[in-house]
Amino acid sequence: MTPRPPTVPLHTEFVVEVNRLGQVVRVTQKHGCKNLNFNAHTLGNVLQATIRLPNGKAIVGLYRVTYDYNPRTYGIYRHATLLRAGGNWGNDPGAASQIIEDAKRMQQEHEHPHLPSLKKLLKPTPKPTHHPAR
């Protein structure tokens, strides 16, 4: 079953810090709507967002990012507005980069170097033999 799209307009709003590359570093404020799926969808999107000028230049600063869902067109529209330029997070890594690094680190922590490989475990085993009678 595919989920039905919402039948009412939805709106979420985030205040985010953007680094010198235009990547969102962190979300400082969030205002959601009653639809929890839309809230989760837009939060994940804003953490991966890149905010730049049309010429490709990025401005370090605090931005307001809004998401509006139109039930007639089923479209989600994003709009970013610069609230304040500057900030001490200009050299911080983006949130998406940090999420990827954390996932790689967790994967390495959960690997067991002493376990045999799966290919070795799935090899055919020799047939069992009967022990000679004593």
Side-chain angles (χ1 to χ4, degrees), residues 74-101:
Y74 304 114
I76 299 173
Y77 303 98
R78 180 179 74 179
H79 188 270
T81 307
L82 178 65
L83 296 176
R84 187 179 74 226
N88 60 354
W89 53 83
N91 292 324
D92 290 356
S97 303
Q98 202 62 36
I99 290 168
I100 292 169
E101 286 179 20

Side-chain angles (χ1 to χ4, degrees), residues 1 14 16 29 33 36 39 43 55 61 66 76 105-106 110 112 123:
M1 279 179 57
F14 302 94
V16 297
Q29 293 178 9
C33 60
L36 299 179
N39 291 344
L43 177 61
N55 64 2
T66 59
I76 299 173
R105 182 182 43 78
M106 287 179 67
H110 288 86
H112 299 284
K123 282 185 179 177

Side-chain angles (χ1 to χ4, degrees), residues 58-69:
I59 300 174
V60 174
L62 205 60
Y63 288 80
R64 174 178 288 119
V65 182
T66 59
Y67 291 88
D68 293 300
Y69 169 72

